[in-house]
Amino acid sequence: MASKLIIDVGMHKGEDTGFYLERGHKVVGVEANPTLVAELRSKFSSYISTGNLVIIDKAIAEEPGVVDFYINDQNSVWGSIDPAFVKRNARDGHTASQVIQVPCITMEDVVSRFPDPYYIKIDIEGMDLSCLRSLSRSACRPKYISIESSVSSPADRWSEELTLFQDMGYDTFKFVDQARLDHLNGSILNREGSATTYKHVREASGPFGEETPGEWMRVDHAASTARRLRREFETYSPMSSTPRPVVKMFRGLRKLRGLPVPDGWYDLHARHSSH
């Protein structure tokens, strides 16, 4: 399969970038944390030297310039420029964050420099929808996009996510449970790059495009699925608005019935049928 361009927005430690590169694709990665960027440049130096990987060491924001970036002391994956996201983590006992200033760029600027991507993965802790809005103002419409959906977060903006995707011309969707991707371990993936035996890596977004699990849904089915996932979040998640003793009770009842407790977070994948 011919090499295609993938934009990885929120590289973290390269969990997804490495997967894309190993499948034979070219990658543009965006990462704001300067410590992680240094590690990424060392880890992927051979791909950078051949031009198969370009790293943009900036945050994605509404406007270019400089922005406060919060580095979580407990978990580097929670780095964010969204103060509300940082406060939520602190409220839930996930330690404090250090703040530094980093340069920022809009998603419009990224795709103007690197047009015609096949797939864009967006996972930037509280800023996914903002990034998608910026992309919507460009002419860029990759065949596939994924974001971390708010169906399993206090933000609860899944309706806005689906509406924006629709306005951009995307017409089929999947919600992928990120906590269950290890169930794909051992599967042969051969539809989106060179064949590989899948092995899930912690914090990775996982397969994309036609290799994602489940059936593609039209928007009405996707909306009903989102409502169900939202109800599960409100019932079983300690981060929901439901009082914690009630959440604990519902979780316990589900375990007593031998049923898995919905602890996962969900990525929303969108496909553009005009490609």
Side-chain angles (χ1 to χ4, degrees):
M1 181 177 289
S3 173
K4 295 176 180 176
L5 176 62
I6 295 176
I7 301 180
D8 183 358
V9 184
M11 294 177 74
H12 190 233
K13 296 183 179 181
E15 296 92 341
D16 291 307
T17 288
F19 178 68
Y20 307 145
L21 291 169
E22 289 166 6
R23 303 293 301 281
H25 299 298
K26 293 186 176 181
V27 179
V28 172
V30 184
E31 176 55 52
N33 186 323
T35 300
L36 294 181
V37 168
E39 294 172 359
L40 289 164
R41 285 180 170 150
S42 175
K43 180 178 181 178
F44 295 115
S45 60
S46 61
Y47 289 103
I48 294 172
S49 65
T50 59
N52 288 312
L53 172 62
V54 175
I55 297 177
I56 299 174
D57 55 346
K58 297 181 179 182
I60 297 292
E62 295 282 354
E63 300 290 340
V66 177
V67 68
D68 286 342
F69 182 78
Y70 299 85
I71 301 174
N72 189 276
D73 293 335
Q74 180 178 327
N75 193 341
S76 59
V77 78
W78 289 329
S80 178
I81 68 170
D82 180 8
F85 181 86
V86 175
K87 288 179 182 177
R88 184 203 77 180
N89 283 343
R91 185 177 63 248
D92 292 333
H94 294 151
T95 74
S97 295
Q98 302 175 34
V99 61
I100 62 172
Q101 287 198 313
V102 298
C104 56
I105 189 172
T106 69
M107 197 61 198
E108 292 173 88
D109 289 336
V110 173
V111 295
S112 70
R113 291 175 56 190
F114 301 96
D116 301 322
Y118 177 69
Y119 167 54
I120 297 179
K121 183 217 86 177
I122 302 171
D123 188 350
I124 47 175
E125 307 309 317
M127 293 298 292
D128 295 49
L129 190 54
S130 177
C131 180
L132 191 61
R133 287 195 207 99
S134 179
L135 181 65
S136 73
R137 293 190 287 269
S138 75
C140 177
R141 296 294 182 268
K143 184 169 184 176
Y144 301 102
I145 303 179
S146 70
I147 63 172
E148 185 176 354
S149 177
S150 68
V151 292
S152 51
S153 81
D156 191 16
R157 299 165 77 175
W158 62 264
S159 180
E160 187 176 353
E161 294 166 359
L162 283 175
T163 298
L164 183 52
F165 270 128
Q166 272 195 295
D167 291 344
M168 294 171 67
Y170 291 86
D171 52 7
T172 51
F173 309 90
K174 291 184 185 184
F175 285 98
V176 176
D177 186 346
Q178 298 302 105
R180 295 175 61 83
L181 285 175
D182 58 356
H183 289 203
L184 298 176
N185 285 346
S187 302
I188 304 299
L189 303 182
N190 57 15
R191 302 185 67 181
E192 299 293 359
S194 58
T196 188
T197 301
Y198 185 69
K199 173 63 176 175
H200 183 59
V201 176
R202 182 177 172 83
E203 310 297 356
S205 294
F208 66 95
E210 298 308 313
E211 294 178 345
T212 47
E215 299 295 325
W216 291 102
M217 302 177 287
R218 295 293 178 180
V219 68
D220 55 344
H221 189 185
S224 64
T225 299
R227 284 189 286 269
R228 174 178 61 80
L229 296 176
R230 187 66 198 175
R231 287 193 299 271
E232 290 182 356
F233 172 80
E234 288 295 340
T235 303
Y236 299 109
S237 175
M239 291 192 298
S240 73
S241 58
T242 305
R244 293 204 175 186
V246 177
V247 168
K248 186 177 180 180
M249 178 189 70
F250 281 126
R251 290 171 68 91
L253 288 172
R254 194 169 176 91
K255 289 178 180 177
L256 283 174
R257 295 170 61 192
L259 299 173
V261 179
D263 267 338
W265 70 96
Y266 292 85
D267 276 5
L268 172 57
H269 290 251
R271 181 176 66 177
H272 205 294
S273 63
S274 68
H275 290 268

